[in-house]
Short mmCIF file of all heavy atoms in Angstrom, two decimals:
data_model
loop_
_atom_site.label_atom_id
_atom_site.label_comp_id
_atom_site.label_asym_id
_atom_site.label_seq_id
_atom_site.Cartn_x
_atom_site.Cartn_y
_atom_site.Cartn_z
N SER A 32 167.54 9.92 -187.48
CA SER A 32 166.76 10.81 -188.33
C SER A 32 165.29 10.87 -187.92
O SER A 32 164.69 11.94 -187.89
CB SER A 32 166.88 10.41 -189.80
OG SER A 32 166.35 9.12 -190.00
N PHE A 33 164.72 9.72 -187.57
CA PHE A 33 163.31 9.72 -187.20
C PHE A 33 163.07 10.41 -185.86
O PHE A 33 161.95 10.81 -185.56
CB PHE A 33 162.73 8.30 -187.20
CG PHE A 33 163.37 7.37 -186.21
CD1 PHE A 33 162.91 7.27 -184.92
CD2 PHE A 33 164.43 6.58 -186.61
CE1 PHE A 33 163.50 6.41 -184.02
CE2 PHE A 33 165.03 5.72 -185.71
CZ PHE A 33 164.57 5.63 -184.42
N GLU A 34 164.11 10.55 -185.04
CA GLU A 34 163.95 11.24 -183.75
C GLU A 34 163.99 12.76 -183.90
O GLU A 34 163.52 13.47 -183.03
CB GLU A 34 165.07 10.81 -182.78
CG GLU A 34 165.00 9.37 -182.37
CD GLU A 34 166.18 8.95 -181.52
OE1 GLU A 34 167.33 9.26 -181.88
OE2 GLU A 34 165.93 8.33 -180.46
N LYS A 35 164.56 13.24 -184.97
CA LYS A 35 164.71 14.68 -185.16
C LYS A 35 163.36 15.39 -185.29
O LYS A 35 163.19 16.51 -184.85
CB LYS A 35 165.60 14.98 -186.36
CG LYS A 35 167.03 14.57 -186.08
CD LYS A 35 167.94 14.87 -187.22
CE LYS A 35 169.34 14.41 -186.84
NZ LYS A 35 170.36 14.87 -187.74
N ILE A 36 162.39 14.71 -185.86
CA ILE A 36 161.05 15.29 -186.01
C ILE A 36 160.45 15.52 -184.63
O ILE A 36 159.94 16.61 -184.33
CB ILE A 36 160.14 14.37 -186.85
CG1 ILE A 36 160.69 14.24 -188.26
CG2 ILE A 36 158.70 14.88 -186.85
CD1 ILE A 36 160.09 13.11 -189.05
N ARG A 37 160.53 14.52 -183.78
CA ARG A 37 159.99 14.64 -182.43
C ARG A 37 160.74 15.71 -181.64
O ARG A 37 160.15 16.47 -180.89
CB ARG A 37 160.05 13.31 -181.70
CG ARG A 37 159.62 13.45 -180.24
CD ARG A 37 159.52 12.14 -179.59
NE ARG A 37 158.18 11.64 -179.89
CZ ARG A 37 157.75 10.46 -179.54
NH1 ARG A 37 158.54 9.63 -178.92
NH2 ARG A 37 156.53 10.09 -179.82
N HIS A 38 162.04 15.77 -181.82
CA HIS A 38 162.85 16.77 -181.11
C HIS A 38 162.39 18.18 -181.49
O HIS A 38 162.21 19.04 -180.62
CB HIS A 38 164.33 16.59 -181.43
CG HIS A 38 165.20 17.64 -180.84
ND1 HIS A 38 165.41 17.76 -179.49
CD2 HIS A 38 165.89 18.65 -181.41
CE1 HIS A 38 166.20 18.78 -179.26
NE2 HIS A 38 166.50 19.34 -180.41
N THR A 39 162.19 18.42 -182.77
CA THR A 39 161.73 19.73 -183.22
C THR A 39 160.38 20.05 -182.61
O THR A 39 160.15 21.17 -182.13
CB THR A 39 161.65 19.76 -184.77
OG1 THR A 39 162.95 19.48 -185.29
CG2 THR A 39 161.15 21.10 -185.27
N ARG A 40 159.48 19.08 -182.61
CA ARG A 40 158.16 19.27 -182.03
C ARG A 40 158.25 19.59 -180.53
O ARG A 40 157.59 20.50 -180.03
CB ARG A 40 157.31 18.02 -182.25
CG ARG A 40 155.86 18.19 -181.82
CD ARG A 40 155.07 16.89 -181.88
NE ARG A 40 155.07 16.29 -183.20
CZ ARG A 40 154.60 15.09 -183.46
NH1 ARG A 40 154.10 14.33 -182.50
NH2 ARG A 40 154.61 14.61 -184.67
N MET A 41 159.10 18.86 -179.83
CA MET A 41 159.24 19.07 -178.39
C MET A 41 159.83 20.44 -178.08
O MET A 41 159.45 21.09 -177.11
CB MET A 41 160.09 17.96 -177.77
CG MET A 41 159.36 16.62 -177.76
SD MET A 41 160.40 15.26 -177.25
CE MET A 41 160.50 15.55 -175.50
N GLN A 42 160.75 20.91 -178.93
CA GLN A 42 161.33 22.24 -178.73
C GLN A 42 160.27 23.32 -178.89
O GLN A 42 160.26 24.30 -178.15
CB GLN A 42 162.45 22.50 -179.73
CG GLN A 42 163.76 21.89 -179.35
CD GLN A 42 164.85 22.32 -180.30
OE1 GLN A 42 164.69 22.28 -181.52
NE2 GLN A 42 165.96 22.74 -179.74
N LEU A 43 159.39 23.14 -179.85
CA LEU A 43 158.32 24.12 -180.07
C LEU A 43 157.33 24.12 -178.92
O LEU A 43 156.84 25.17 -178.51
CB LEU A 43 157.60 23.84 -181.39
CG LEU A 43 158.43 24.07 -182.65
CD1 LEU A 43 157.67 23.57 -183.88
CD2 LEU A 43 158.80 25.53 -182.80
N GLU A 44 157.04 22.94 -178.38
CA GLU A 44 156.08 22.82 -177.28
C GLU A 44 156.67 23.23 -175.93
O GLU A 44 155.94 23.68 -175.05
CB GLU A 44 155.56 21.39 -177.20
CG GLU A 44 154.72 20.97 -178.38
CD GLU A 44 154.39 19.48 -178.38
OE1 GLU A 44 154.82 18.76 -177.46
OE2 GLU A 44 153.71 19.05 -179.33
N ASN A 45 157.96 23.07 -175.76
CA ASN A 45 158.63 23.34 -174.47
C ASN A 45 159.92 24.11 -174.69
O ASN A 45 161.01 23.58 -174.43
CB ASN A 45 158.95 22.02 -173.75
CG ASN A 45 157.74 21.15 -173.58
OD1 ASN A 45 156.84 21.49 -172.85
ND2 ASN A 45 157.71 20.02 -174.28
N PRO A 46 159.86 25.34 -175.17
CA PRO A 46 161.09 26.06 -175.51
C PRO A 46 162.02 26.33 -174.33
O PRO A 46 163.21 26.55 -174.53
CB PRO A 46 160.58 27.37 -176.12
CG PRO A 46 159.19 27.52 -175.64
CD PRO A 46 158.66 26.14 -175.40
N SER A 47 161.52 26.29 -173.12
CA SER A 47 162.37 26.57 -171.97
C SER A 47 163.16 25.35 -171.49
O SER A 47 164.08 25.48 -170.69
CB SER A 47 161.53 27.12 -170.81
OG SER A 47 160.60 26.15 -170.38
N LEU A 48 162.80 24.16 -171.99
CA LEU A 48 163.50 22.95 -171.56
C LEU A 48 164.74 22.70 -172.41
O LEU A 48 164.71 22.85 -173.63
CB LEU A 48 162.58 21.73 -171.65
CG LEU A 48 161.42 21.68 -170.67
CD1 LEU A 48 160.58 20.43 -170.90
CD2 LEU A 48 161.92 21.71 -169.23
N LYS A 49 165.82 22.32 -171.75
CA LYS A 49 167.05 21.96 -172.44
C LYS A 49 166.98 20.47 -172.79
O LYS A 49 166.28 19.70 -172.13
CB LYS A 49 168.26 22.23 -171.54
CG LYS A 49 168.40 23.68 -171.16
CD LYS A 49 169.67 23.94 -170.37
CE LYS A 49 169.65 23.25 -169.03
NZ LYS A 49 170.82 23.54 -168.20
N PRO A 50 167.72 20.05 -173.83
CA PRO A 50 167.70 18.63 -174.19
C PRO A 50 168.01 17.70 -173.02
O PRO A 50 167.40 16.64 -172.89
CB PRO A 50 168.76 18.54 -175.28
CG PRO A 50 168.71 19.88 -175.93
CD PRO A 50 168.47 20.85 -174.79
N CYS A 51 168.94 18.08 -172.16
CA CYS A 51 169.29 17.19 -171.04
C CYS A 51 168.15 17.05 -170.05
O CYS A 51 168.15 16.13 -169.22
CB CYS A 51 170.55 17.68 -170.33
SG CYS A 51 170.37 19.25 -169.48
N GLN A 52 167.14 17.91 -170.13
CA GLN A 52 165.97 17.80 -169.26
C GLN A 52 164.90 16.90 -169.90
O GLN A 52 163.94 16.55 -169.23
CB GLN A 52 165.39 19.18 -168.98
CG GLN A 52 166.33 20.07 -168.17
CD GLN A 52 165.81 21.48 -168.06
OE1 GLN A 52 165.58 22.16 -169.06
NE2 GLN A 52 165.62 21.93 -166.83
N ILE A 53 165.08 16.58 -171.15
CA ILE A 53 164.08 15.79 -171.88
C ILE A 53 164.60 14.39 -172.18
O ILE A 53 163.91 13.40 -172.00
CB ILE A 53 163.70 16.49 -173.21
CG1 ILE A 53 163.09 17.87 -172.92
CG2 ILE A 53 162.74 15.63 -174.03
CD1 ILE A 53 162.91 18.72 -174.16
N TYR A 54 165.83 14.31 -172.66
CA TYR A 54 166.41 13.04 -173.09
C TYR A 54 167.19 12.41 -171.96
O TYR A 54 167.75 13.08 -171.12
CB TYR A 54 167.30 13.25 -174.32
CG TYR A 54 166.49 13.68 -175.52
CD1 TYR A 54 166.25 15.03 -175.77
CD2 TYR A 54 165.95 12.75 -176.37
CE1 TYR A 54 165.48 15.44 -176.86
CE2 TYR A 54 165.18 13.14 -177.46
CZ TYR A 54 164.96 14.48 -177.69
OH TYR A 54 164.20 14.86 -178.76
N GLY A 55 167.24 11.09 -171.97
CA GLY A 55 167.82 10.38 -170.84
C GLY A 55 169.10 9.63 -171.13
O GLY A 55 169.86 9.96 -172.05
N SER A 56 169.28 8.59 -170.37
CA SER A 56 170.52 7.82 -170.37
C SER A 56 170.84 7.19 -171.73
O SER A 56 172.01 7.07 -172.08
CB SER A 56 170.43 6.72 -169.32
OG SER A 56 170.27 7.30 -168.06
N GLU A 57 169.84 6.80 -172.45
CA GLU A 57 170.08 6.18 -173.76
C GLU A 57 170.84 7.14 -174.67
O GLU A 57 171.78 6.75 -175.37
CB GLU A 57 168.77 5.75 -174.41
CG GLU A 57 168.05 4.64 -173.68
CD GLU A 57 167.24 5.10 -172.46
OE1 GLU A 57 167.11 6.31 -172.22
OE2 GLU A 57 166.73 4.22 -171.76
N HIS A 58 170.45 8.40 -174.64
CA HIS A 58 171.11 9.40 -175.48
C HIS A 58 172.47 9.79 -174.90
O HIS A 58 173.42 10.07 -175.65
CB HIS A 58 170.20 10.61 -175.68
CG HIS A 58 169.02 10.30 -176.53
ND1 HIS A 58 167.88 9.73 -176.01
CD2 HIS A 58 168.81 10.42 -177.86
CE1 HIS A 58 167.01 9.54 -177.00
NE2 HIS A 58 167.55 9.94 -178.12
N LEU A 59 172.58 9.79 -173.59
CA LEU A 59 173.88 10.06 -172.95
C LEU A 59 174.88 8.97 -173.35
O LEU A 59 176.04 9.26 -173.65
CB LEU A 59 173.73 10.11 -171.43
CG LEU A 59 175.02 10.31 -170.64
CD1 LEU A 59 175.72 11.61 -171.03
CD2 LEU A 59 174.73 10.28 -169.15
N LEU A 60 174.43 7.73 -173.40
CA LEU A 60 175.32 6.64 -173.84
C LEU A 60 175.79 6.85 -175.28
O LEU A 60 176.95 6.59 -175.60
CB LEU A 60 174.61 5.29 -173.72
CG LEU A 60 174.50 4.73 -172.32
CD1 LEU A 60 173.61 3.50 -172.30
CD2 LEU A 60 175.87 4.41 -171.75
N ARG A 61 174.91 7.34 -176.12
CA ARG A 61 175.31 7.63 -177.51
C ARG A 61 176.45 8.65 -177.51
O ARG A 61 177.41 8.51 -178.26
CB ARG A 61 174.14 8.18 -178.32
CG ARG A 61 173.06 7.18 -178.61
CD ARG A 61 171.96 7.80 -179.45
NE ARG A 61 170.77 6.98 -179.42
CZ ARG A 61 169.62 7.32 -179.99
NH1 ARG A 61 169.52 8.48 -180.63
NH2 ARG A 61 168.57 6.53 -179.91
N LEU A 62 176.31 9.70 -176.69
CA LEU A 62 177.35 10.72 -176.61
C LEU A 62 178.66 10.12 -176.09
O LEU A 62 179.73 10.37 -176.66
CB LEU A 62 176.91 11.88 -175.72
CG LEU A 62 177.97 12.96 -175.50
CD1 LEU A 62 178.36 13.64 -176.81
CD2 LEU A 62 177.47 14.00 -174.50
N LEU A 63 178.59 9.35 -175.03
CA LEU A 63 179.80 8.78 -174.46
C LEU A 63 180.53 7.88 -175.46
O LEU A 63 181.76 7.86 -175.49
CB LEU A 63 179.48 8.00 -173.18
CG LEU A 63 179.02 8.85 -171.99
CD1 LEU A 63 178.59 7.97 -170.83
CD2 LEU A 63 180.12 9.82 -171.55
N MET A 64 179.79 7.17 -176.27
CA MET A 64 180.41 6.30 -177.26
C MET A 64 181.06 7.11 -178.39
O MET A 64 182.03 6.65 -178.99
CB MET A 64 179.39 5.33 -177.86
CG MET A 64 178.82 4.32 -176.86
SD MET A 64 180.09 3.30 -176.09
CE MET A 64 180.19 4.01 -174.46
N LYS A 65 180.57 8.30 -178.65
CA LYS A 65 181.12 9.13 -179.72
C LYS A 65 182.26 10.05 -179.23
O LYS A 65 183.00 10.59 -180.03
CB LYS A 65 180.02 10.00 -180.33
CG LYS A 65 179.00 9.21 -181.12
CD LYS A 65 177.91 10.11 -181.66
CE LYS A 65 176.86 9.29 -182.36
NZ LYS A 65 176.93 9.42 -183.80
N MET A 66 182.38 10.20 -177.91
CA MET A 66 183.34 11.16 -177.37
C MET A 66 184.79 10.92 -177.79
O MET A 66 185.48 11.89 -178.12
CB MET A 66 183.24 11.24 -175.85
CG MET A 66 182.05 12.03 -175.36
SD MET A 66 181.95 13.72 -176.00
CE MET A 66 183.27 14.51 -175.11
N PRO A 67 185.32 9.70 -177.80
CA PRO A 67 186.72 9.56 -178.22
C PRO A 67 186.98 10.13 -179.61
O PRO A 67 187.95 10.86 -179.81
CB PRO A 67 186.94 8.04 -178.18
CG PRO A 67 185.97 7.57 -177.15
CD PRO A 67 184.75 8.44 -177.34
N ALA A 68 186.10 9.85 -180.56
CA ALA A 68 186.28 10.38 -181.91
C ALA A 68 186.10 11.89 -181.94
O ALA A 68 186.85 12.60 -182.62
CB ALA A 68 185.29 9.71 -182.87
N LEU A 69 185.13 12.40 -181.18
CA LEU A 69 184.91 13.84 -181.14
C LEU A 69 186.09 14.57 -180.52
O LEU A 69 186.51 15.63 -181.00
CB LEU A 69 183.63 14.17 -180.36
CG LEU A 69 182.33 13.67 -180.98
CD1 LEU A 69 181.17 13.86 -180.01
CD2 LEU A 69 182.07 14.40 -182.30
N MET A 70 186.66 13.99 -179.46
CA MET A 70 187.81 14.61 -178.82
C MET A 70 189.04 14.58 -179.73
O MET A 70 189.80 15.55 -179.78
CB MET A 70 188.09 13.93 -177.48
CG MET A 70 186.99 14.19 -176.47
SD MET A 70 187.25 13.32 -174.93
CE MET A 70 188.01 14.64 -174.00
N ALA A 71 189.22 13.49 -180.45
CA ALA A 71 190.34 13.41 -181.39
C ALA A 71 190.18 14.44 -182.50
O ALA A 71 191.14 15.12 -182.87
CB ALA A 71 190.43 12.00 -181.98
N GLN A 72 188.96 14.58 -182.99
CA GLN A 72 188.67 15.55 -184.04
C GLN A 72 188.91 16.98 -183.55
O GLN A 72 189.40 17.82 -184.29
CB GLN A 72 187.22 15.38 -184.50
CG GLN A 72 186.83 16.23 -185.68
CD GLN A 72 185.38 15.97 -186.09
OE1 GLN A 72 184.59 15.42 -185.34
NE2 GLN A 72 185.04 16.39 -187.28
N ALA A 73 188.59 17.24 -182.29
CA ALA A 73 188.76 18.57 -181.71
C ALA A 73 190.20 18.79 -181.21
O ALA A 73 190.51 19.85 -180.69
CB ALA A 73 187.79 18.77 -180.56
N LYS A 74 191.04 17.78 -181.36
CA LYS A 74 192.44 17.84 -180.94
C LYS A 74 192.58 18.19 -179.46
O LYS A 74 193.38 19.03 -179.07
CB LYS A 74 193.21 18.81 -181.83
CG LYS A 74 193.22 18.34 -183.27
CD LYS A 74 194.02 19.23 -184.16
CE LYS A 74 194.02 18.58 -185.53
NZ LYS A 74 193.98 19.40 -186.64
N VAL A 75 191.77 17.53 -178.64
CA VAL A 75 191.85 17.69 -177.18
C VAL A 75 193.18 17.08 -176.73
O VAL A 75 193.52 15.98 -177.17
CB VAL A 75 190.65 16.98 -176.50
CG1 VAL A 75 190.80 16.97 -174.99
CG2 VAL A 75 189.35 17.66 -176.90
#
Side-chain angles (χ1 to χ4, degrees):
S32 63
F33 62 89
E34 294 175 312
K35 291 181 181 192
I36 297 165
R37 175 173 274 176
H38 175 69
T39 301
R40 187 187 302 171
M41 290 172 75
Q42 279 187 312
L43 292 172
E44 293 171 0
N45 305 293
S47 63
L48 291 178
K49 299 185 294 184
C51 66
Q52 294 173 302
I53 299 170
Y54 294 89
S56 299
E57 294 81 6
H58 291 84
L59 177 59
L60 283 172
R61 291 181 196 175
L62 176 62
L63 292 174
M64 295 301 105
K65 291 178 183 254
M66 283 305 287
L69 295 171
M70 293 177 96
Q72 186 179 17
K74 298 182 176 144
V75 172

